[in-house]
Amino acid sequence: MKSETMLALYRSMLRIRRVQERIESLYLQDAMKTPVHLCIGQEAIAAGICLALEPDDSIQSNHRGHGHYLAKGGDLKAMIAELHCKATGCSGGFGGSMHLVDVAAGHLGSSSIVGGGIPIGTGIGLAMRMRRTSQVSVVFFGDGAADEGVLYESLNFAMLKRLSVIFVLEDNRWAVCSPRDSRQTGDNVFLRGADPDRLFTARLDGNDAEIVHETARAAVARGRSGAGPSLLVCDTYRIMGHAGCKAQEPSGYRDACEIDAWSDKCPVALYRAKLASRGILDEPTEAAMEATIAAEITEAFDFAAQSPLPHDGDLHKHLFSE
């Protein structure tokens, strides 16, 4: 992997982390009129997958989708304005944190419906096939969404039609307050019975950005060739609670030792150390990166604060496509 690619991976993860931290630090001021689901601890997946995509490839995201939006090139100012429910938001201020979209960047939408993006992303893959393009459709979802039957229906259809869809399961082990082991048997229920010719599958360390990126590149190449879909199961962990900021997380449902153990596997910190040991990332480079990101985030929050609220008369617009 080229040093430029490594630095791009690190910068993408660092930017996602710093945006999440700023949201977390300001959330209790109540200027952001939306629930938020932070992805601190899961940055390597969004960064690694999206760096393997072209601008005209598409992604479908979910309620924990800030990282996907940013990694795919979504407009930061429009995202922060959307969290403030302002008219300049990427969904006009009507969607909030869970309904981000940036069509120009290939982010075709996120949804608050758990598993809702899975069939949509599969349908987008079908449209790509019917239009005879070489584009790839990526769907991000969590292990809670993997409990739903729509995943199996969508995988079956994608295999049947050999669609260029990449299903990315971000297995962070918790569905709200429900541990994975209380909902699923074994650790490979998603892979059982799939014909390897019809479905490329891989279970990987979702906190290692390079592993994620290299595996994504293989899946993208498979999709573009017309060979069919892929299912990437990425092991990771959400350091924060299910929703809101740290002060709002209910206590008692997770073992503190588990959180500490996964905090030690922080994808941003581990990759920073790896790049430093290789001589690719030095202190001046990182300081410049941090300063640029901080200025960009401040500008985005200022933009959101100064933006107007949506007009009452627009409330019923954009509900249908004619």
Side-chain angles (χ1 to χ4, degrees), residues 115-197:
I118 295 173
I120 295 173
T122 305
I124 291 171
L126 176 62
M128 291 170 173
R129 171 59 52 82
M130 295 175 71
R131 292 175 178 174
R132 300 182 184 279
T133 74
S134 61
Q135 294 166 284
V136 172
S137 170
V138 175
V139 186
F140 292 99
F141 55 98
D143 49 291
D147 293 342
E148 300 194 15
V150 69
L151 172 62
Y152 301 90
E153 297 173 45
S154 299
L155 278 169
N156 179 70
F157 187 77
M159 287 190 288
L160 180 68
K161 301 295 184 182
R162 292 190 184 275
L163 303 181
S164 57
V165 181
I166 302 175
F167 299 87
V168 180
L169 167 51
E170 296 177 293
D171 189 349
N172 66 21
R173 299 166 179 263
W174 290 91
V176 190
C177 298
S178 175
R180 185 186 64 201
D181 292 346
S182 73
R183 297 176 284 108
Q184 300 169 6
T185 58
D187 62 359
N188 66 344
V189 62
F190 315 114
L191 315 182
R192 190 172 301 151
D195 180 347
D197 178 57

Side-chain angles (χ1 to χ4, degrees), residues 4-17:
E4 292 85 355
T5 304
M6 297 179 199
L7 286 173
L9 268 177
Y10 179 68
R11 185 188 184 284
S12 180
M13 286 197 295
L14 183 65
R15 183 169 177 257
I16 295 169
R17 173 65 61 89

Side-chain angles (χ1 to χ4, degrees), residues 180-293:
R180 185 186 64 201
D181 292 346
S182 73
R183 297 176 284 108
Q184 300 169 6
T185 58
D187 62 359
N188 66 344
V189 62
F190 315 114
L191 315 182
R192 190 172 301 151
D195 180 347
D197 178 57
R198 292 276 179 177
L199 181 70
F200 168 70
T201 63
R203 183 156 206 144
L204 53 143
D205 181 353
N207 281 19
D208 189 317
E210 290 188 5
I211 290 177
V212 173
H213 181 61
E214 293 293 355
T215 309
R217 282 169 51 88
V220 168
R222 172 184 168 83
R224 297 204 198 287
S225 74
S230 299
L231 171 62
L232 310 183
V233 182
C234 304
D235 287 314
T236 187
Y237 195 76
R238 61 167 163 81
I239 303 301
M240 305 295 290
H242 169 67
C245 62
K246 187 174 183 179
Q248 296 174 310
E249 182 179 19
S251 61
Y253 77 94
R254 291 196 297 183
D255 189 331
C257 293
E258 178 181 289
I259 300 174
D260 290 343
W262 278 96
S263 296
D264 290 341
K265 302 178 185 177
C266 168
V268 180
L270 291 178
Y271 202 43
R272 178 192 297 118
K274 184 179 288 186
L275 294 187
S277 70
R278 293 172 177 170
I280 294 172
L281 181 67
D282 55 25
E283 290 187 6
T285 301
E286 180 165 22
M289 202 179 286
E290 290 271 20
T292 301
I293 292 172

